[in-house]
Amino acid sequence: MNSKNETRGLWLGLLGVAIFAITLPMTRLATGTADAPQLSPWFVTLGRAALAGGLSIVFLLATRSRWPTAAEWRPLSIATLGNALGFPLLIGYALLTISASHAAVIIALLPLATAVVAAIVMHQRARLGFWLSACIGAALVVGFSLYRATQHGPGLALEWGDVLMLGAVVSAALGYVYGAKVTPTLGAEQVICWVCVLALPVTLPGAWLTWPEQAIRASSWWALGYVGVFSMWAGFFAWYRGLALGGTLKVSQVQLLQPFLSILAAIPLLGESLDLMTVGFALAVVATVFIGKRFASSPVPPPAPRASPTDLPRATP
């Protein structure tokens, strides 16, 4: 993997993260609030995946994409369970018992979880400095989330929702890694398309069963369109391609910026404010990403092969 590909992968990963970051405020616009509910969270989860599945069928037919090989079906199935079904389902159940601020604390561990899964599944290696930078970045995001959580409610306590959120983190990390695993042979666009198509037997009838019965404002439908077209579909074009080009272990750390980009997006979309503490934490996280990239660009060399008996010098009599 050369430096040019790593840089391209980093920028594509950043593009994907920027698209994903707008998901949170758009989802809030789609669902509304407790006082003024709009689309149900279940319908948003299933409906966006069903919309992405329909677009995927059109894309696969229009580009005459090939069918996945026998070896590619297993990673695609794991990516489907992780990204299209497992992650949003676990998030939906967790948010029934814990607050969004509480959930953000655990979601902040996703980049580190992705790096660990990539190291195990794809045997990607990096120097100790990379892992230290990743842990510092994760600690900064968790610290920031804790700071914001204390401003909006009481302290965090371990409960069933925490277990569900940890499952969501593992689910998303597995989906990212296994999707990136088949991207070099199948293509980034084809990977997410097949993921969405494989989920259609669940998401399509689920969306129909949870279709809203009351009148819904236009902005909520537009928000659902965004999370279906971009968050669940087009964003993965850039994300999977970036993971494949730059290395899943390395590019995954760009996702540390996602909570801060979400806050920036919420300013014009939801009217929320920006404070100096947020800016300071964001700059610190940016620094860990770039420092980690420098360490990751020089991977740990593989151990030298052991010499065979025939290669050893012969003793002189």
Side-chain angles (χ1 to χ4, degrees), residues 192-263:
I192 188 56
C193 284
W194 281 111
V195 163
C196 294
V197 168
L198 286 175
L200 276 176
V202 174
T203 59
L204 192 58
W208 180 75
L209 290 173
T210 56
W211 189 272
E213 298 179 356
Q214 75 278 14
I216 303 296
R217 65 191 180 196
S219 60
S220 295
W221 287 112
W222 282 110
L224 175 64
Y226 179 90
V227 296
V229 175
F230 294 97
S231 302
M232 191 67 203
W233 192 58
F236 279 96
F237 285 22
W239 182 242
Y240 278 146
R241 182 72 66 184
L243 293 177
L245 283 175
T248 305
L249 183 147
K250 306 167 191 176
V251 177
S252 65
Q253 299 310 293
V254 179
Q255 202 169 33
L256 287 167
L257 302 175
Q258 185 168 327
F260 304 99
L261 294 177
S262 294
I263 294 170

Side-chain angles (χ1 to χ4, degrees), residues 76-305:
L76 285 173
S77 299
I78 296 176
T80 300
L81 292 174
N83 292 147
L85 300 175
F87 179 76
L89 183 62
L90 291 169
I91 289 290
Y93 270 115
L95 290 177
L96 293 176
T97 58
I98 62 175
S99 68
S101 298
H102 190 149
V105 175
I106 306 174
I107 281 293
L109 300 175
L110 180 55
L112 182 59
T114 304
V116 171
V117 175
I120 296 173
V121 174
M122 303 178 72
H123 309 291
Q124 295 183 0
R125 310 177 67 189
R127 296 167 60 185
L128 177 62
F130 169 81
W131 292 108
L132 291 176
S133 298
C135 290
I136 292 172
L140 283 169
V141 177
V142 170
F144 173 75
S145 299
L146 285 169
Y147 164 74
R148 287 184 63 87
T150 56
Q151 291 184 320
H152 295 88
L156 303 178
L158 184 62
E159 52 185 278
W160 179 237
D162 296 316
V163 178
L164 293 174
M165 288 301 304
L166 287 173
V169 167
V170 174
S171 181
L174 286 169
Y176 288 159
V177 171
Y178 277 95
K181 189 175 183 180
V182 293
T183 294
T185 58
L186 191 57
E189 298 81 5
Q190 285 74 15
V191 167
I192 188 56
C193 284
W194 281 111
V195 163
C196 294
V197 168
L198 286 175
L200 276 176
V202 174
T203 59
L204 192 58
W208 180 75
L209 290 173
T210 56
W211 189 272
E213 298 179 356
Q214 75 278 14
I216 303 296
R217 65 191 180 196
S219 60
S220 295
W221 287 112
W222 282 110
L224 175 64
Y226 179 90
V227 296
V229 175
F230 294 97
S231 302
M232 191 67 203
W233 192 58
F236 279 96
F237 285 22
W239 182 242
Y240 278 146
R241 182 72 66 184
L243 293 177
L245 283 175
T248 305
L249 183 147
K250 306 167 191 176
V251 177
S252 65
Q253 299 310 293
V254 179
Q255 202 169 33
L256 287 167
L257 302 175
Q258 185 168 327
F260 304 99
L261 294 177
S262 294
I263 294 170
L264 291 175
I267 295 174
L269 292 173
L270 301 176
E272 297 184 2
S273 59
L274 181 66
D275 56 72
L276 291 178
M277 184 68 72
T278 299
V279 175
F281 268 99
L283 292 175
V285 172
V286 169
T288 64
V289 171
F290 282 97
I291 293 173
K293 182 182 181 298
R294 290 195 61 183
F295 281 111
S297 62
S298 302
V300 179

Side-chain angles (χ1 to χ4, degrees), residues 53-70:
L55 292 172
S56 297
I57 292 177
V58 174
F59 181 88
L60 292 172
L61 292 176
T63 56
R64 297 183 178 181
S65 300
R66 66 172 177 84
W67 284 77
T69 63

